[in-house]
Amino acid sequence: MTEKNLKELFHDTLKDIYFAEKKILSALPKMAKAAQSSELRAAFEKHERETEEHVTRLEQVFADLDETPRGKTCDAILGIIAEGQEVMKEFKGKPALDAGLLAAAQAVEHYEIARYGTLKTWAAELGLTQSATLLETTLGEEKKTDEALTELAQSGVNQHAEAA
Ligand SMILES: [Fe+2]
């Protein structure tokens, strides 16, 4: 692949994750509001603040490319978020709601981890050192969020779902 093509692919994937982060930013407050456990709600609220930072970092990466920040419809994230909304509707008021919300959030995180891992590697290959660092920072936060969600799942959210 020529450098020009990889740069185009990088720019395209950047638009994809920019669109995704903005969708996540609007989905997180709804998920926080729906969560029954205060710990899960706090985790969603914390990640909402981090996500604002993720959007800002992506805008810096666009600047690094001399491009205007612009999103491109990402069907994958729309599907993952739609699944989360379905869980919220179907399990409203039920003990398994939080387990379902947690699972939906982890699907989001895993999508982001895949994207940021790829983008970070491409940025480094393209010699976009500053962008690679920014993308790596966000990747680290997505991974930490995923781990925090796993801990929450192990610490009671799933047991609560089973209890009733
Ligand atoms: Fe993010």
Side-chain angles (χ1 to χ4, degrees), residues 72-141:
K72 180 184 170 192
T73 306
C74 165
D75 291 322
I77 204 71
L78 290 178
I80 293 171
I81 289 174
E83 276 184 9
Q85 283 164 344
E86 213 177 293
V87 167
M88 276 191 249
K89 216 166 87 187
E90 280 180 25
F91 288 87
K92 195 177 178 185
K94 308 244 165 71
L97 174 67
D98 279 3
L101 284 172
L102 208 154
Q106 282 197 293
V108 169
E109 289 316 308
H110 285 223
Y111 180 75
E112 292 190 285
I113 289 166
R115 281 298 186 227
Y116 279 109
T118 297
L119 283 168
K120 180 203 78 172
T121 304
W122 286 348
E125 278 174 33
L126 291 165
L128 301 164
T129 321
Q130 197 202 339
S131 289
T133 307
L134 290 165
L135 294 162
E136 175 137 42
T137 305
T138 297
L139 176 63
E141 287 176 6

